[in-house]
Amino acid sequence: MALKAAMAVTGAILVLYLIAHMYGNLKVFSGQEAFDGYAHNLRVLGTPLLPEHGFLWLARLILLASVLIHIYAAVSLWLRARRARPASQRYQVTKRVHRTYSSYTMRWGGVLIALFTIFHILHLTVNVISPGGASDSPYERLVNGFQPEFWFVTLFYVAAVIAVGFHLRHGIWSGLATLGVNQANRQPKMNAVATGLSLILTVGFLLPPLAVTFGLVS
């Protein structure tokens, strides 16, 4: 139960981060001044109580701890379930179990998300990978990186975001169930919340790179 609770709590932290991150990404449609201004405000948020970049580093530490705990809990629960399953049933299905497509893709989707997160940080945060040219401007890094000639970057981004959407769909549903909101009369609402929030985040994250690639943002 503790591991499931840890997954639910850390998952909630990560979902809240994704909502805030999506909001920031959508600032790209307000132009370079608004987007770069938002990025600058994050760097100085909390000053002078915190040093410059202090809020960002605090947020990064919380996110890193949440990700590590989330992965540890997920792997531990998977290994526990595997050990509890009789060996004869590991290779033979003895009863029909309802599982959504998102639950089947959680493991490999998580691997894709992890690889994408590393690439995303190197590309748009620390500016080490710079398709289209490096820049001190977050807006220019985003626009440079998703130009039509770098369609493979956009394609990788789209695949990763879709994987995030599937992961969220299953994760939000599981988190609500862990919190005890899985009574039969509430399951339609659980499905609606999980599906709706995952769709909003998926579309919200896809809009900026696709808009750049198709020339709607330049």
Side-chain angles (χ1 to χ4, degrees):
M1 186 61 186
L3 288 173
K4 289 184 178 180
M7 281 198 71
V9 171
T10 54
I13 291 172
L14 295 172
V15 169
L16 290 174
Y17 163 74
L18 287 174
I19 292 171
H21 190 28
M22 179 190 70
Y23 168 80
N25 282 1
L26 292 175
K27 287 279 187 180
V28 73
F29 294 104
S30 299
Q32 182 170 358
E33 184 176 352
F35 192 84
D36 286 351
Y38 173 79
H40 172 74
N41 288 336
L42 288 179
R43 291 194 293 269
V44 299
L45 187 63
T47 56
L49 182 62
L50 294 173
E52 189 172 343
H53 297 274
F55 171 79
L56 283 177
W57 278 110
L58 182 61
R60 287 165 183 162
L61 289 174
I62 293 172
L63 287 171
L64 178 61
S66 297
V67 168
L68 293 177
I69 294 170
H70 197 77
I71 293 172
Y72 172 79
V75 172
S76 298
L77 287 169
W78 177 72
L79 290 174
R80 180 184 297 178
R82 183 177 175 82
R83 286 194 298 266
R85 191 185 314 144
S88 60
Q89 292 183 12
R90 291 180 185 175
Y91 308 100
Q92 180 179 0
V93 177
T94 58
K95 63 180 180 177
R96 187 177 184 85
V97 180
H98 173 69
R99 297 181 68 186
T100 62
Y101 181 75
S102 56
S103 69
Y104 280 111
T105 59
M106 286 292 278
R107 195 181 312 159
W108 293 111
V111 173
L112 177 60
I113 293 166
L115 293 174
F116 168 72
T117 300
I118 295 170
F119 174 82
H120 187 64
I121 291 171
L122 293 175
H123 177 200
L124 295 176
T125 302
V126 298
N127 208 15
V128 171
I129 299 174
S130 51
S135 175
D136 291 331
S137 162
Y139 179 90
E140 290 180 2
R141 288 202 295 272
L142 189 150
V143 172
N144 290 348
F146 293 110
Q147 289 300 306
E149 58 265 34
F150 304 114
W151 58 268
F152 47 89
V153 176
T154 304
L155 185 62
F156 179 44
Y157 191 97
V158 169
V161 169
I162 291 174
V164 170
F166 281 122
H167 201 90
L168 283 171
R169 166 64 183 80
H170 182 71
I172 293 170
W173 194 96
S174 298
L176 291 173
T178 299
L179 296 174
V181 196
N182 59 343
Q183 289 85 350
N185 63 328
R186 294 181 179 177
Q187 288 194 2
K189 291 182 180 179
M190 287 174 57
N191 284 325
V193 169
T195 302
L197 188 52
S198 61
L199 278 175
I200 290 170
L201 285 167
T202 299
V203 173
F205 275 107
L206 287 178
L207 283 175
L210 292 177
V212 173
T213 300
F214 289 102
L216 301 177
V217 173
S218 60

